[in-house]
Amino acid sequence: VQLQASGGGLVQAGGSLRLSCAASGYSFGFDEYAIGWFRQAPGKVREGIACISAGDGKVYNDNSWKGRFTLSRDNAKNTVYLQINGVKSEDTGVYYCAADKVAGFCWVLASEKYDYWGHGTQVTVSS
């Protein structure tokens, strides 16, 4: 499975951004993969933001990320989206998406559970 994260760039604080994660090369249907989004801020460890499950597309996120981050998937386009509203300087970092073939739930924080990773897209927030 190959994942391509895109949509990053330079954004002004308070603005909005939509990141995309496009998948290809999978043996099963795209809707059988849970997709997670992670962020690595400069000088910090990678942390989980949210994930969306296979099948019913239920979203799981850490409480600290609720409110400004919205996750959705379009299985027809083999793509998962991460919408970030009201961006803040602390949102600066490299955003990664990852895939895990698991049914019924997904891992928000456990990055080691994901088998496939994209290269990440850089988001830089200017004040």
Side-chain angles (χ1 to χ4, degrees):
V1 178
Q2 290 81 49
L3 300 174
Q4 180 66 52
S6 61
L10 182 64
V11 59
Q12 198 166 13
S16 296
L17 202 62
R18 190 176 78 161
L19 306 181
S20 300
C21 176
S24 62
Y26 40 86
S27 300
F28 304 93
F30 174 69
D31 61 352
E32 295 190 37
Y33 291 86
I35 304 294
W37 278 96
F38 298 82
R39 181 181 78 188
Q40 187 163 18
K44 296 187 177 182
V45 298
R46 187 167 54 193
E47 52 187 343
I49 300 172
C51 64
I52 187 164
S53 67
D56 61 0
K58 185 176 180 180
V59 176
Y60 300 79
N61 49 22
D62 187 70
N63 285 332
S64 61
W65 298 97
K66 287 183 177 179
R68 297 191 298 115
F69 295 79
T70 303
L71 198 58
S72 62
R73 68 188 299 158
D74 185 340
N75 290 328
K77 295 183 178 180
N78 303 327
T79 302
V80 169
Y81 303 99
L82 178 66
Q83 177 77 29
I84 309 173
N85 297 322
V87 294
K88 304 177 180 180
S89 57
E90 54 261 43
D91 293 330
T92 293
V94 180
Y95 287 71
Y96 298 90
C97 60
D100 178 26
K101 191 177 183 306
V102 61
F105 69 99
C106 55
W107 304 96
V108 178
L109 303 178
S111 60
E112 70 276 8
K113 298 293 186 180
Y114 289 84
D115 297 318
Y116 309 98
W117 290 82
H119 289 295
T121 184
Q122 173 72 46
V123 172
T124 303
V125 180
S126 63
S127 57

